[in-house]
Amino acid sequence: MEPSETIKSKITGLLKNKFAIETLNSSDWDTELSNAPFSFNARDMVYLLFEIEKLFQIRIKNEDLIAKKFFTLNNIVECINSALSSTAMKQ
């Protein structure tokens, strides 16, 4: 399992490279992605999901998506940690 700071660093790079989001404040990590500074629409959210799954070589659980755990960056970090722990247990 990767430390949360490493995960956050990778997410920051992904947002910069794929979505042109240059800077994040600490409060942005708890902001819903549909709000500023992100203003993601449904297509952006799907794209983000696929990019995160590819970057971390994981699958985000459907239950996490249904429970709206993929709506803030901090929640996404939790989803990634959960998926990475599940993967590590299977090995």
Side-chain angles (χ1 to χ4, degrees), residues 70-83:
F70 204 79
F71 276 56
T72 70
L73 294 177
N74 275 330
N75 285 350
I76 290 171
V77 171
E78 290 176 24
C79 290
I80 293 167
N81 272 325
S82 174

Side-chain angles (χ1 to χ4, degrees), residues 33-87:
L33 295 172
S34 59
N35 296 330
F38 310 104
S39 302
F40 282 9
N41 59 32
R43 184 194 67 222
D44 295 329
M45 293 297 291
V46 171
Y47 187 53
L48 178 63
L49 172 66
F50 290 146
E51 289 295 325
I52 284 177
E53 289 182 335
K54 183 169 67 173
L55 178 63
F56 292 96
Q57 299 178 341
I58 58 169
R59 290 281 176 229
I60 301 295
K61 296 177 195 170
N62 287 338
E63 303 87 59
D64 289 342
L65 298 173
I66 293 167
K68 297 184 179 181
K69 292 183 182 175
F70 204 79
F71 276 56
T72 70
L73 294 177
N74 275 330
N75 285 350
I76 290 171
V77 171
E78 290 176 24
C79 290
I80 293 167
N81 272 325
S82 174
L84 289 172
S85 335
S86 297
T87 302

Side-chain angles (χ1 to χ4, degrees), residues 15 17-18 22 27-29 31 37 49 63 70 79:
L15 292 172
N17 295 330
K18 301 289 183 176
E22 294 292 326
S27 62
D28 293 338
W29 288 85
T31 300
L49 172 66
E63 303 87 59
F70 204 79
C79 290

